[in-house]
Amino acid sequence: MNPRRDRPQSSRFTPRWFLWRGLGVLAAGMLAGAGARVVMENPWGGPIGSSPNGELSEICRESGLFCANDSTKPLEKPLSVLVLGVDRPDPQRSTSRPQQMWSGRSDTILLVRVDPVAEAINVLSVPRDTRVRLPERGIGKINSANARGGPLLTGEILSTLLSDAPVDRYVLLNTEGIVALVDALGGIDIYVEKDMQYDDNTQDLHIDLKQGQQRLNGDQAHQYLRFRQDELGDIGRVQRQQKLMRVISRQLLKPRTLLRFPKIKQAIEENVETSLTWEELFAILRFAFDSQESGGEDDRVTPVSNPSDATLQNESANDRLNLVLLPGRFSESGEFGDRSFWVIDPVATYKVATSLFGGIPDFGTPTARSLEKQRISIENATGLPQMGGRMADSLEKRGFSNIAINADAPRAIPITQILAQRGDTAMAREIQALLGFGEVRVQSTGDISAEVTVRVGRDWAEYWYPEVVERQQRELRSRQNSALPQVVRRDRLD
């Protein structure tokens, strides 16, 4: 039996769908036209924010980094942007020099490759504790590279790690930038996956967030990004960075956000140093807008499994935003003395670099490992009990032997997700084909020790175990009816 062929056809394409789709296309055209008009009129021409380094052409000749795009139109070819979130400066130190505010350690390190050829935006998240060799300093953590040599040194190290992947532009963003951007957007809607409490008076950092779906202002979003006091430490924070990036990118691309552009522009100019121009930024935004399909964080339906759960999320993978964590592992206790590192996996990193970030394939194709031996992680996101184990049984019958079952997800999702943790989309699509269900997503928000994480959605459960779903719906209706106030009826006395 072929699940794809036998399961009922979706009722997505209704007259209402076409109406909203038409309005969405019209709004997209209006926003794109407005953006193009702004660029043509060029009131915001030139660099964004401050960009005191006037020697980019010399840097390009010497290192091959931050080279100008020869194209007369932005994004006629791929563009790679190094993004560094820089620690806020010590308030006890002088900040009289403009560059001093950008010379701290990089709390966030991303390489963003906008690829109009592949019609994708690929984002590599680099843990700040990644073990690298620092010129004239020996072995250290990559987050110190900006403090020692600015974005140039960070870009050189990252390009070397990624098989000479190009780095065309840089963006330095201070920690206040996220606060200002989120406030300029009017806040963001996001699901906080756990209670987060932490206080550090030395950094003036105070985190107090509760689990659940909520709207965060700029300061709360900053708290969400900075939290790292859990079992995954910095890697958990990187996963939250990826989640927040997806939410912010979707909100930036909503038509109503156009009305907030003056505030957004001010937030960018006051908190960013970059070699990007406004023309390039508008080209990137327009590319992202044109690439985005319907669906996303805002598509919600009430879950039938748990009425106390706020929403059943329908997160679309069709926005072509691929989020990858630099492949690696935590260092073992005592492996490098008393220092802890994120140690890269050279084979997996080579595959990510050459397939997604323009790395040069000088060393051939790494020896392929048996697909069945690869580690698969299962996360039950159906809202039904025991579905993680049933998915594991299904994969074992198809020959997979290295399977781990994680704790159930806090929220149910309607569509099964197959996460290519390390950017290996070929393997994720193989699992998708074997299951006959699910959508492939390139992001690292699942089990970091696995090659692929399968989040089991309601679609898989409803197809293979409809009796379980029906039984739970009956039990839910029974509980709801028993919770209703009882009305005492008395016979009328004659």
Side-chain angles (χ1 to χ4, degrees):
M1 178 175 63
N2 187 334
R4 291 184 183 276
R5 183 181 302 116
D6 296 339
R7 62 188 176 199
Q9 294 296 311
S10 170
S11 59
R12 174 186 176 190
F13 299 103
T14 62
R16 182 181 178 185
W17 182 92
F18 282 107
L19 172 61
W20 285 110
R21 185 65 171 174
L23 292 174
V25 171
L26 176 61
M30 292 172 63
L31 180 60
R37 185 167 58 254
V38 168
V39 172
M40 290 178 65
E41 294 172 356
N42 202 29
W44 298 347
I48 301 170
S50 60
S51 184
N53 189 347
E55 301 177 351
L56 291 180
S57 59
E58 182 177 343
I59 292 175
C60 175
R61 289 193 299 270
E62 293 179 356
S63 67
L65 296 181
F66 310 136
C67 293
N69 192 330
D70 295 331
S71 171
T72 57
K73 295 182 180 179
L75 293 190
E76 286 190 342
K77 58 183 180 181
L79 183 71
S80 296
V81 183
L82 173 66
V83 180
L84 301 178
V86 182
D87 289 339
R88 69 179 70 189
D90 188 336
Q92 302 300 321
R93 297 183 181 181
S94 171
T95 57
S96 57
R97 289 183 299 166
Q99 268 299 88
Q100 200 164 3
M101 69 180 298
W102 306 113
S103 60
R105 293 174 180 264
S106 47
D107 203 50
T108 300
I109 305 170
L110 307 171
L111 184 64
V112 181
R113 183 170 174 83
V114 185
D115 191 342
V117 178
E119 297 185 338
I121 300 176
N122 303 322
V123 181
L124 180 71
S125 298
V126 181
R128 68 178 192 172
D129 293 339
T130 299
R131 187 174 185 267
V132 297
R133 182 175 296 279
L134 299 166
E136 301 179 1
R137 291 283 182 172
I139 299 298
K141 297 182 178 181
I142 195 171
N143 72 321
S144 65
N146 184 68
R148 301 187 185 282
L152 174 60
L153 180 58
T154 307
E156 288 177 336
I157 292 172
L158 192 55
S159 179
T160 300
L161 287 180
L162 300 176
S163 303
D164 294 325
V167 182
D168 304 312
R169 298 285 186 271
Y170 72 86
V171 173
L172 293 176
L173 173 70
N174 67 40
T175 52
E176 298 299 330
I178 290 295
V179 176
L181 178 59
V182 172
D183 283 339
L185 287 169
I188 56 171
D189 294 313
I190 197 168
Y191 183 84
V192 178
E193 59 272 16
K194 64 181 72 175
D195 288 349
M196 299 179 184
Q197 278 87 33
Y198 178 71
D199 289 287
D200 186 342
N201 292 325
T202 62
Q203 298 186 52
D204 193 24
L205 177 61
H206 305 283
I207 300 174
D208 184 14
L209 297 174
K210 300 298 183 182
Q211 181 183 15
Q213 181 76 24
Q214 53 197 285
R215 189 166 186 83
L216 303 184
N217 61 27
D219 181 64
Q220 291 169 324
H222 177 243
Q223 295 177 38
Y224 182 77
L225 284 177
R226 292 293 298 273
F227 184 76
R228 55 179 296 186
Q229 282 65 43
D230 58 14
E231 64 279 3
L232 290 179
D234 189 51
I235 303 304
R237 189 176 61 158
V238 168
Q239 293 179 329
R240 285 186 283 277
Q241 288 172 358
Q242 292 189 354
K243 182 178 175 181
L244 195 70
M245 272 190 292
R246 191 176 291 277
V247 172
I248 290 178
S249 66
R250 285 180 175 141
Q251 188 143 335
L252 276 170
L253 301 177
K254 291 179 179 177
R256 64 175 178 266
T257 301
L258 182 63
L259 300 176
R260 294 182 172 270
F261 251 79
K263 291 183 178 180
I264 294 172
K265 175 179 179 287
Q266 181 181 359
I268 292 173
E269 288 181 328
E270 293 179 352
N271 297 282
V272 166
E273 179 201 325
T274 179
S275 57
L276 276 171
T277 66
W278 282 110
E279 289 87 349
E280 289 169 331
L281 178 59
F282 275 116
I284 292 171
L285 289 175
R286 182 171 182 177
F287 173 79
F289 198 102
D290 290 344
S291 299
Q292 181 159 302
E293 299 288 342
S294 62
E297 295 278 356
D298 292 332
D299 295 339
R300 305 169 183 168
V301 296
T302 303
V304 297
S305 59
N306 186 359
S308 65
D309 195 0
T311 56
L312 182 69
Q313 293 294 99
N314 180 20
E315 300 177 352
S316 171
N318 296 327
D319 54 10
R320 302 172 188 173
L321 178 63
N322 299 320
L323 303 169
V324 186
L325 174 68
L326 181 70
R329 61 175 175 84
F330 291 110
S331 59
E332 299 176 1
S333 178
E335 184 176 4
F336 301 107
D338 59 351
R339 303 188 69 185
S340 62
F341 291 98
W342 180 254
V343 184
I344 70 166
D345 179 334
V347 173
T349 298
Y350 175 82
K351 292 170 65 176
V352 166
T354 54
S355 62
L356 296 177
F357 294 94
I360 300 174
D362 286 340
F363 307 105
T365 302
T367 302
R369 292 171 288 181
S370 170
L371 181 67
E372 291 76 13
K373 300 294 183 182
Q374 301 306 294
R375 182 176 175 84
I376 310 297
S377 181
I378 307 295
E379 183 178 308
N380 178 16
T382 64
L384 301 166
Q386 303 178 348
M387 287 299 164
R390 297 189 183 194
M391 173 61 81
D393 293 341
S394 178
L395 289 174
E396 285 179 354
K397 291 177 182 178
R398 289 165 169 79
F400 291 89
S401 58
N402 189 2
I403 300 175
I405 303 176
N406 287 347
D408 288 1
R411 296 180 301 165
I413 59 176
I415 300 174
T416 298
Q417 297 174 1
I418 304 170
L419 308 184
Q421 290 285 137
R422 302 185 172 197
D424 192 344
T425 55
M427 180 179 177
R429 294 194 185 284
E430 181 74 11
I431 294 174
Q432 180 191 43
L434 290 171
L435 292 177
F437 281 86
E439 57 184 19
V440 171
R441 306 185 70 168
V442 181
Q443 63 184 56
S444 305
T445 56
D447 185 349
I448 63 170
S449 66
E451 298 291 334
V452 169
T453 296
V454 178
R455 285 187 179 143
V456 189
R458 296 281 297 194
D459 57 342
W460 187 83
E462 289 171 350
Y463 182 82
W464 289 110
Y465 300 98
E467 71 284 356
V468 176
V469 177
E470 177 59 29
R471 183 172 64 249
Q472 188 189 53
Q473 290 175 333
R474 289 198 303 269
E475 293 173 353
L476 175 61
R477 288 193 292 269
S478 176
R479 289 197 301 269
Q480 291 174 333
N481 291 335
S482 63
L484 293 175
Q486 300 297 316
V487 179
V488 178
R489 307 183 68 177
R490 297 179 179 177
D491 294 332
R492 180 181 299 176
L493 297 176
D494 296 328

